Amino acid sequence: MAAYSNVTWTSTKYHDGFTEGFARALKRSGNEVLIFHLNGLLAEQFSNKPKDKFDGMLIKETIANFDPDLIITFNNSMPCEDIAEITDCPIAIYSADTPALYADKERIKKYIDRYYFLNGSRIIAGDVEERFSPSSDRMIFFGHATDMRAADLEQINNITYIGSMPNHSYAFINFFEQLNLMEPDDNKKNQVKNAFFRALDDIGQNEFTKDFDFDFSKYYSSEMENFAEFSALCLYSCKNKFEILSRLTDLGLKIHGFPWSWPYAMQFNFDLFRHFDYRLSVSIDQNSINFNSSKISLNMPNATQKEGLSWRVTDILATNSVLLTKKSDTLAEMFRGYVELPTYESAAEARDLAIQLLNEPSWRRDLSAASQQMINDKCRFEHKFKLIQEATGVKLLGGREGHLIEFDESAVIRHILVQEPSNTDDPIVHADPFPRSQGIFARIKRLMSK
């Protein structure tokens, strides 16, 4: 399993809660899981090229000798290039974002007969089909899943929001500042601005299934070429979050998330930063405490998630908190036969619903009980493993508990020597990437110590 984490600001490495839950459910189901945390390993998020200090050959040796039966990757992120060339097993891509943000798209096309696509959204599935044309048996409607559990905690918080304020507009701002300096003709500047907004509106109206059709390099800049879709997504998401959160600040709002992003909220509404809590809430255990101790937990989907179901939706629904999120046909379908979940269509409606929920504890209890039942019936990872198993032929549901091994980057740093000082001719010995493992990894140890 390979994933790039959104938790980028901590000294301790954390996987996203969804990735963490996915991996530990695989382990619980009897699998041997080798997991890569890619943030420190890759040169950049949307590439599979390792940083120069890492030895790609050793990474590939490790994977080849682990001999995986299945590779699970988020957005096709891999610990290095050429993984498809050194393995012969199925590769399952979980679409964490729009396929526009997949890494190494050309290699997907080259090895399309080995790829399976785990889709949580019909919109994303349609985009996958348009871009890669996989056969229908390669499309797995994964839906939504969580490994979160309810916990009997006192609900001391009114409303909790866990997330970021994705202020990635700087490159756009820098582009227009550069344009203002370089282009003397005001009419030309207006033309460029209008072309930019046409491209922005176009991908917004098409649920981010299209590329950002604007040639930045034509106008004195090329820095945006690889990140236009991502930055545009953040523009839309930021606008939505400001509108909704600003309506809830007086109702007992508490915010957790990326600490570097929230001070910038003071430019537009300083009360948002007032309600920010620096205490970390990224792991399943940390999020479980915050959700279960809150009467309401808010979800505000990113712009790519028109259906409204980010990873945190099912996490919240599995706890004693009540989900407050935007209207979603997908969510309504999931809850058919359980309960009618209150959802909003505007920031004003979000506020009205929050007030009603806070004033009616019996309603909250009924909603929470029905939500937990729906999750247990439909949205546990074990339900999804059965779908993957049937499609790929790879057994994922076994008997006794397996093992979860976190890859150790120190094992593949270039030119790290462990030698006896008395003999400089001793061979290079690389650190064991699995210091607590035995048995199936003995061959890896032998190869890496040659």
Side-chain angles (χ1 to χ4, degrees):
M1 177 177 279
Y4 199 99
S5 175
N6 288 315
V7 187
T8 58
W9 66 95
T10 61
S11 55
T12 301
K13 292 179 183 178
Y14 286 96
H15 293 282
D16 290 306
F18 181 85
T19 310
E20 179 190 357
F22 203 142
R24 75 182 194 181
L26 281 168
K27 170 180 174 284
R28 191 169 59 241
S29 296
N31 297 285
E32 303 292 327
V33 185
L34 170 60
I35 186 167
F36 288 83
H37 182 280
L38 298 176
N39 296 50
L41 200 61
L42 297 182
E44 60 182 54
Q45 182 173 355
F46 303 113
S47 164
N48 288 339
K49 180 178 173 55
K51 292 179 180 178
D52 289 342
K53 69 177 182 178
F54 295 116
D55 190 327
M57 287 302 299
L58 283 178
I59 297 172
K60 285 184 276 191
E61 272 189 13
T62 301
I63 294 169
N65 287 283
F66 181 75
D67 193 19
D69 298 306
L70 175 69
I71 294 171
I72 299 173
T73 165
F74 289 60
N75 290 351
N76 202 44
S77 292
M78 302 277 198
C80 68
E81 300 160 308
D82 306 326
I83 299 301
E85 284 80 352
I86 62 161
T87 59
D88 58 6
C89 64
I91 303 170
I93 298 182
Y94 180 88
S95 298
D97 296 289
T98 170
L101 302 183
Y102 281 2
D104 204 357
K105 299 183 189 68
E106 292 306 312
R107 194 169 261 107
I108 298 174
K109 296 174 183 177
K110 180 178 179 181
Y111 292 96
I112 191 63
D113 289 339
R114 284 177 54 197
Y115 272 94
Y116 292 82
F117 297 88
L118 311 179
N119 303 297
S121 158
R122 301 294 183 189
I123 293 170
I124 296 298
D127 191 7
V128 168
E129 290 173 336
E130 183 177 341
R131 288 175 183 270
F132 304 109
S133 301
S135 58
S136 59
D137 63 331
R138 302 286 167 148
M139 300 292 288
I140 304 171
F141 190 70
F142 187 93
H144 306 279
T146 180
D147 210 40
M148 188 77 73
R149 297 292 191 277
D152 188 16
L153 300 176
E154 182 184 359
Q155 292 186 320
I156 57 176
N157 304 307
N158 277 355
I159 305 173
T160 284
Y161 174 66
I162 300 176
S164 63
M165 185 59 73
N167 190 0
H168 290 275
S169 57
Y170 298 113
F172 286 146
I173 292 170
N174 291 341
F175 169 76
F176 282 104
E177 287 180 340
Q178 189 175 13
L179 177 71
N180 193 47
L181 290 171
M182 302 289 292
E183 176 56 65
D185 187 338
D186 290 344
N187 289 326
K188 180 66 176 296
K189 284 185 278 194
N190 279 331
Q191 291 171 11
V192 173
K193 176 180 69 69
N194 293 338
F196 169 84
F197 276 102
R198 282 195 298 272
L200 184 67
D201 292 342
D202 191 32
I203 66 167
Q205 291 163 6
N206 286 279
E207 291 89 35
F208 289 82
T209 61
K210 298 182 68 175
D211 292 328
F212 198 104
D213 188 19
F214 182 83
D215 187 357
F216 288 92
S217 62
K218 182 179 177 181
Y219 305 104
Y220 326 113
S221 173
S222 60
E223 66 172 312
M224 288 303 301
E225 290 302 305
N226 295 324
F227 305 104
E229 286 85 7
F230 178 72
S231 297
L233 177 158
C234 292
L235 281 181
Y236 276 94
S237 300
C238 229
K239 181 176 182 292
N240 176 57
K241 291 182 181 184
F242 270 116
E243 290 175 350
I244 294 171
L245 288 172
S246 294
R247 296 291 191 109
L248 303 177
T249 53
D250 64 330
L251 299 180
L253 175 67
K254 187 178 74 157
I255 298 171
H256 288 271
F258 181 38
W260 297 103
S261 69
W262 284 101
Y264 289 98
M266 288 194 291
Q267 297 176 80
F268 308 101
N269 182 347
F270 59 78
D271 270 336
L272 295 185
F273 186 52
R274 186 200 303 270
H275 293 281
F276 178 74
D277 187 336
Y278 275 105
R279 285 175 293 182
L280 199 62
S281 189
V282 294
S283 70
I284 290 178
D285 290 343
Q286 292 163 350
N287 288 346
S288 175
I289 291 171
N290 281 309
F291 289 146
N292 280 294
S293 63
S294 300
K295 297 170 184 174
I296 297 170
S297 293
L298 180 67
N299 170 65
M300 293 181 292
N302 286 328
T304 52
Q305 295 157 335
K306 186 179 180 182
E307 294 172 352
L309 270 67
S310 69
W311 291 340
R312 291 194 183 93
V313 167
T314 45
D315 283 353
I316 294 167
L317 292 171
T319 70
N320 288 327
S321 192
V322 170
L323 172 70
L324 180 59
T325 190
K326 66 178 287 189
K327 184 177 181 180
S328 162
D329 292 341
T330 300
L331 202 58
E333 175 64 27
M334 290 168 65
F335 271 90
R336 186 167 290 119
Y338 291 89
V339 74
E340 184 176 350
L341 198 69
T343 54
Y344 62 80
E345 293 190 75
S346 67
E349 192 173 5
R351 177 180 173 81
D352 290 342
L353 280 173
I355 293 172
Q356 292 177 46
L357 287 165
L358 291 172
N359 289 333
E360 297 185 37
S362 61
W363 187 27
R364 296 199 310 270
R365 284 193 295 271
D366 290 344
L367 289 170
S368 178
S371 298
Q372 291 173 37
Q373 186 62 54
M374 188 279 293
I375 290 294
N376 289 332
D377 290 345
K378 296 182 177 182
C379 297
R380 290 301 179 192
F381 279 104
E382 288 77 3
H383 303 145
K384 314 305 177 180
F385 296 162
K386 185 176 180 181
L387 299 176
I388 300 171
Q389 184 172 282
E390 290 172 351
T392 64
V394 178
K395 184 178 179 181
L396 297 178
L397 295 166
R400 60 183 178 82
E401 186 157 328
H403 299 90
L404 180 60
I405 304 107
E406 186 84 36
F407 180 76
D408 182 2
E409 293 171 8
S410 67
V412 294
I413 295 177
R414 296 180 188 274
H415 311 306
I416 298 297
L417 308 184
V418 181
Q419 300 177 339
E420 293 294 331
S422 59
N423 186 354
T424 57
D425 294 327
D426 282 349
I428 297 174
V429 180
H430 291 267
D432 182 1
F434 314 111
R436 294 182 299 280
S437 62
Q438 298 176 10
I440 63 173
F441 302 114
R443 185 181 174 206
I444 298 173
K445 291 178 65 176
R446 289 197 302 273
L447 283 171
M448 298 186 73
S449 62
K450 285 181 180 178

PDB file of all heavy atoms in Angstrom, residues 268-285:
ATOM      1  N   PHE A 268      -9.892  37.578   6.421  1.00  0.00           N
ATOM      2  CA  PHE A 268     -11.288  37.681   5.995  1.00  0.00           C
ATOM      3  C   PHE A 268     -12.266  37.583   7.157  1.00  0.00           C
ATOM      4  O   PHE A 268     -13.323  38.204   7.135  1.00  0.00           O
ATOM      5  CB  PHE A 268     -11.585  36.575   4.968  1.00  0.00           C
ATOM      6  CG  PHE A 268     -10.591  36.548   3.845  1.00  0.00           C
ATOM      7  CD1 PHE A 268      -9.571  35.616   3.826  1.00  0.00           C
ATOM      8  CD2 PHE A 268     -10.658  37.471   2.818  1.00  0.00           C
ATOM      9  CE1 PHE A 268      -8.640  35.599   2.798  1.00  0.00           C
ATOM     10  CE2 PHE A 268      -9.735  37.457   1.791  1.00  0.00           C
ATOM     11  CZ  PHE A 268      -8.720  36.522   1.778  1.00  0.00           C
ATOM     12  N   ASN A 269     -11.925  36.780   8.173  1.00  0.00           N
ATOM     13  CA  ASN A 269     -12.773  36.666   9.355  1.00  0.00           C
ATOM     14  C   ASN A 269     -11.904  36.180  10.504  1.00  0.00           C
ATOM     15  O   ASN A 269     -11.634  34.992  10.629  1.00  0.00           O
ATOM     16  CB  ASN A 269     -13.925  35.699   9.102  1.00  0.00           C
ATOM     17  CG  ASN A 269     -14.876  35.592  10.294  1.00  0.00           C
ATOM     18  OD1 ASN A 269     -14.566  36.043  11.386  1.00  0.00           O
ATOM     19  ND2 ASN A 269     -16.025  34.980  10.076  1.00  0.00           N
ATOM     20  N   PHE A 270     -11.471  37.115  11.348  1.00  0.00           N
ATOM     21  CA  PHE A 270     -10.522  36.736  12.393  1.00  0.00           C
ATOM     22  C   PHE A 270     -11.144  35.799  13.422  1.00  0.00           C
ATOM     23  O   PHE A 270     -10.442  35.086  14.132  1.00  0.00           O
ATOM     24  CB  PHE A 270      -9.935  37.973  13.086  1.00  0.00           C
ATOM     25  CG  PHE A 270     -10.930  38.887  13.747  1.00  0.00           C
ATOM     26  CD1 PHE A 270     -11.488  38.568  14.968  1.00  0.00           C
ATOM     27  CD2 PHE A 270     -11.287  40.080  13.138  1.00  0.00           C
ATOM     28  CE1 PHE A 270     -12.392  39.420  15.582  1.00  0.00           C
ATOM     29  CE2 PHE A 270     -12.190  40.933  13.739  1.00  0.00           C
ATOM     30  CZ  PHE A 270     -12.753  40.601  14.964  1.00  0.00           C
ATOM     31  N   ASP A 271     -12.481  35.746  13.513  1.00  0.00           N
ATOM     32  CA  ASP A 271     -13.118  34.837  14.467  1.00  0.00           C
ATOM     33  C   ASP A 271     -12.866  33.375  14.133  1.00  0.00           C
ATOM     34  O   ASP A 271     -12.912  32.516  15.022  1.00  0.00           O
ATOM     35  CB  ASP A 271     -14.627  35.095  14.524  1.00  0.00           C
ATOM     36  CG  ASP A 271     -14.988  36.137  15.579  1.00  0.00           C
ATOM     37  OD1 ASP A 271     -14.192  36.306  16.520  1.00  0.00           O
ATOM     38  OD2 ASP A 271     -16.045  36.766  15.461  1.00  0.00           O
ATOM     39  N   LEU A 272     -12.614  33.058  12.876  1.00  0.00           N
ATOM     40  CA  LEU A 272     -12.329  31.675  12.524  1.00  0.00           C
ATOM     41  C   LEU A 272     -11.052  31.197  13.204  1.00  0.00           C
ATOM     42  O   LEU A 272     -10.998  30.086  13.749  1.00  0.00           O
ATOM     43  CB  LEU A 272     -12.217  31.515  11.010  1.00  0.00           C
ATOM     44  CG  LEU A 272     -13.491  31.766  10.210  1.00  0.00           C
ATOM     45  CD1 LEU A 272     -13.258  31.445   8.738  1.00  0.00           C
ATOM     46  CD2 LEU A 272     -14.650  30.946  10.751  1.00  0.00           C
ATOM     47  N   PHE A 273     -10.022  32.016  13.171  1.00  0.00           N
ATOM     48  CA  PHE A 273      -8.777  31.621  13.826  1.00  0.00           C
ATOM     49  C   PHE A 273      -8.926  31.617  15.343  1.00  0.00           C
ATOM     50  O   PHE A 273      -8.281  30.834  16.034  1.00  0.00           O
ATOM     51  CB  PHE A 273      -7.640  32.539  13.396  1.00  0.00           C
ATOM     52  CG  PHE A 273      -6.289  32.114  13.909  1.00  0.00           C
ATOM     53  CD1 PHE A 273      -5.840  30.816  13.723  1.00  0.00           C
ATOM     54  CD2 PHE A 273      -5.484  33.006  14.595  1.00  0.00           C
ATOM     55  CE1 PHE A 273      -4.604  30.419  14.207  1.00  0.00           C
ATOM     56  CE2 PHE A 273      -4.239  32.615  15.068  1.00  0.00           C
ATOM     57  CZ  PHE A 273      -3.803  31.306  14.884  1.00  0.00           C
ATOM     58  N   ARG A 274      -9.791  32.472  15.880  1.00  0.00           N
ATOM     59  CA  ARG A 274     -10.062  32.474  17.314  1.00  0.00           C
ATOM     60  C   ARG A 274     -10.516  31.087  17.788  1.00  0.00           C
ATOM     61  O   ARG A 274     -10.197  30.647  18.882  1.00  0.00           O
ATOM     62  CB  ARG A 274     -11.153  33.504  17.629  1.00  0.00           C
ATOM     63  CG  ARG A 274     -11.423  33.704  19.124  1.00  0.00           C
ATOM     64  CD  ARG A 274     -12.798  34.326  19.346  1.00  0.00           C
ATOM     65  NE  ARG A 274     -12.976  35.580  18.657  1.00  0.00           N
ATOM     66  CZ  ARG A 274     -12.684  36.784  19.172  1.00  0.00           C
ATOM     67  NH1 ARG A 274     -12.162  36.868  20.380  1.00  0.00           N
ATOM     68  NH2 ARG A 274     -12.911  37.878  18.463  1.00  0.00           N
ATOM     69  N   HIS A 275     -11.266  30.377  16.947  1.00  0.00           N
ATOM     70  CA  HIS A 275     -11.838  29.089  17.322  1.00  0.00           C
ATOM     71  C   HIS A 275     -10.955  27.910  16.919  1.00  0.00           C
ATOM     72  O   HIS A 275     -11.368  26.756  17.073  1.00  0.00           O
ATOM     73  CB  HIS A 275     -13.224  28.934  16.692  1.00  0.00           C
ATOM     74  CG  HIS A 275     -14.227  29.895  17.251  1.00  0.00           C
ATOM     75  ND1 HIS A 275     -14.846  29.696  18.460  1.00  0.00           N
ATOM     76  CD2 HIS A 275     -14.696  31.079  16.782  1.00  0.00           C
ATOM     77  CE1 HIS A 275     -15.673  30.699  18.709  1.00  0.00           C
ATOM     78  NE2 HIS A 275     -15.595  31.552  17.706  1.00  0.00           N
ATOM     79  N   PHE A 276      -9.762  28.177  16.415  1.00  0.00           N
ATOM     80  CA  PHE A 276      -8.837  27.107  16.036  1.00  0.00           C
ATOM     81  C   PHE A 276      -8.152  26.531  17.270  1.00  0.00           C
ATOM     82  O   PHE A 276      -7.713  27.256  18.157  1.00  0.00           O
ATOM     83  CB  PHE A 276      -7.784  27.628  15.056  1.00  0.00           C
ATOM     84  CG  PHE A 276      -6.775  26.590  14.658  1.00  0.00           C
ATOM     85  CD1 PHE A 276      -7.117  25.579  13.782  1.00  0.00           C
ATOM     86  CD2 PHE A 276      -5.490  26.615  15.169  1.00  0.00           C
ATOM     87  CE1 PHE A 276      -6.198  24.599  13.423  1.00  0.00           C
ATOM     88  CE2 PHE A 276      -4.569  25.665  14.818  1.00  0.00           C
ATOM     89  CZ  PHE A 276      -4.921  24.650  13.940  1.00  0.00           C
ATOM     90  N   ASP A 277      -8.049  25.203  17.330  1.00  0.00           N
ATOM     91  CA  ASP A 277      -7.391  24.489  18.422  1.00  0.00           C
ATOM     92  C   ASP A 277      -6.143  23.810  17.863  1.00  0.00           C
ATOM     93  O   ASP A 277      -6.230  22.959  16.976  1.00  0.00           O
ATOM     94  CB  ASP A 277      -8.353  23.441  19.004  1.00  0.00           C
ATOM     95  CG  ASP A 277      -7.816  22.768  20.265  1.00  0.00           C
ATOM     96  OD1 ASP A 277      -6.582  22.741  20.456  1.00  0.00           O
ATOM     97  OD2 ASP A 277      -8.630  22.250  21.050  1.00  0.00           O
ATOM     98  N   TYR A 278      -4.966  24.175  18.390  1.00  0.00           N
ATOM     99  CA  TYR A 278      -3.708  23.647  17.870  1.00  0.00           C
ATOM    100  C   TYR A 278      -3.482  22.164  18.188  1.00  0.00           C
ATOM    101  O   TYR A 278      -2.609  21.538  17.600  1.00  0.00           O
ATOM    102  CB  TYR A 278      -2.532  24.453  18.422  1.00  0.00           C
ATOM    103  CG  TYR A 278      -2.217  25.708  17.635  1.00  0.00           C
ATOM    104  CD1 TYR A 278      -2.561  26.958  18.128  1.00  0.00           C
ATOM    105  CD2 TYR A 278      -1.563  25.636  16.414  1.00  0.00           C
ATOM    106  CE1 TYR A 278      -2.262  28.115  17.409  1.00  0.00           C
ATOM    107  CE2 TYR A 278      -1.260  26.781  15.695  1.00  0.00           C
ATOM    108  CZ  TYR A 278      -1.611  28.018  16.198  1.00  0.00           C
ATOM    109  OH  TYR A 278      -1.320  29.147  15.492  1.00  0.00           O
ATOM    110  N   ARG A 279      -4.243  21.606  19.121  1.00  0.00           N
ATOM    111  CA  ARG A 279      -4.024  20.200  19.473  1.00  0.00           C
ATOM    112  C   ARG A 279      -4.277  19.311  18.258  1.00  0.00           C
ATOM    113  O   ARG A 279      -5.249  19.488  17.534  1.00  0.00           O
ATOM    114  CB  ARG A 279      -4.920  19.803  20.644  1.00  0.00           C
ATOM    115  CG  ARG A 279      -4.435  20.357  21.975  1.00  0.00           C
ATOM    116  CD  ARG A 279      -5.407  20.052  23.087  1.00  0.00           C
ATOM    117  NE  ARG A 279      -6.670  20.757  22.905  1.00  0.00           N
ATOM    118  CZ  ARG A 279      -7.683  20.704  23.764  1.00  0.00           C
ATOM    119  NH1 ARG A 279      -7.584  19.954  24.853  1.00  0.00           N
ATOM    120  NH2 ARG A 279      -8.798  21.374  23.520  1.00  0.00           N
ATOM    121  N   LEU A 280      -3.392  18.341  18.089  1.00  0.00           N
ATOM    122  CA  LEU A 280      -3.392  17.513  16.884  1.00  0.00           C
ATOM    123  C   LEU A 280      -4.631  16.627  16.827  1.00  0.00           C
ATOM    124  O   LEU A 280      -5.025  16.013  17.819  1.00  0.00           O
ATOM    125  CB  LEU A 280      -2.134  16.654  16.878  1.00  0.00           C
ATOM    126  CG  LEU A 280      -1.692  16.053  15.544  1.00  0.00           C
ATOM    127  CD1 LEU A 280      -1.377  17.152  14.546  1.00  0.00           C
ATOM    128  CD2 LEU A 280      -0.460  15.172  15.767  1.00  0.00           C
ATOM    129  N   SER A 281      -5.245  16.543  15.644  1.00  0.00           N
ATOM    130  CA  SER A 281      -6.369  15.639  15.419  1.00  0.00           C
ATOM    131  C   SER A 281      -6.263  15.118  13.988  1.00  0.00           C
ATOM    132  O   SER A 281      -6.893  15.641  13.062  1.00  0.00           O
ATOM    133  CB  SER A 281      -7.705  16.356  15.640  1.00  0.00           C
ATOM    134  OG  SER A 281      -8.773  15.438  15.614  1.00  0.00           O
ATOM    135  N   VAL A 282      -5.451  14.072  13.814  1.00  0.00           N
ATOM    136  CA  VAL A 282      -5.227  13.507  12.479  1.00  0.00           C
ATOM    137  C   VAL A 282      -5.391  11.992  12.442  1.00  0.00           C
ATOM    138  O   VAL A 282      -5.838  11.441  11.435  1.00  0.00           O
ATOM    139  CB  VAL A 282      -3.825  13.893  11.932  1.00  0.00           C
ATOM    140  CG1 VAL A 282      -3.739  15.386  11.688  1.00  0.00           C
ATOM    141  CG2 VAL A 282      -2.711  13.432  12.866  1.00  0.00           C
ATOM    142  N   SER A 283      -5.043  11.304  13.521  1.00  0.00           N
ATOM    143  CA  SER A 283      -5.145   9.842  13.531  1.00  0.00           C
ATOM    144  C   SER A 283      -6.586   9.417  13.827  1.00  0.00           C
ATOM    145  O   SER A 283      -7.415  10.234  14.261  1.00  0.00           O
ATOM    146  CB  SER A 283      -4.210   9.245  14.583  1.00  0.00           C
ATOM    147  OG  SER A 283      -4.689   9.533  15.890  1.00  0.00           O
ATOM    148  N   ILE A 284      -6.877   8.149  13.633  1.00  0.00           N
ATOM    149  CA  ILE A 284      -8.212   7.644  13.960  1.00  0.00           C
ATOM    150  C   ILE A 284      -8.509   7.859  15.437  1.00  0.00           C
ATOM    151  O   ILE A 284      -9.601   8.308  15.808  1.00  0.00           O
ATOM    152  CB  ILE A 284      -8.325   6.149  13.597  1.00  0.00           C
ATOM    153  CG1 ILE A 284      -8.316   5.975  12.071  1.00  0.00           C
ATOM    154  CG2 ILE A 284      -9.609   5.548  14.172  1.00  0.00           C
ATOM    155  CD1 ILE A 284      -8.385   4.536  11.617  1.00  0.00           C
ATOM    156  N   ASP A 285      -7.555   7.551  16.311  1.00  0.00           N
ATOM    157  CA  ASP A 285      -7.795   7.698  17.748  1.00  0.00           C
ATOM    158  C   ASP A 285      -8.021   9.147  18.136  1.00  0.00           C
ATOM    159  O   ASP A 285      -8.908   9.466  18.943  1.00  0.00           O
ATOM    160  CB  ASP A 285      -6.620   7.117  18.535  1.00  0.00           C
ATOM    161  CG  ASP A 285      -6.547   5.598  18.440  1.00  0.00           C
ATOM    162  OD1 ASP A 285      -7.558   4.983  18.046  1.00  0.00           O
ATOM    163  OD2 ASP A 285      -5.478   5.041  18.739  1.00  0.00           O
TER     164      ASP A 285
END
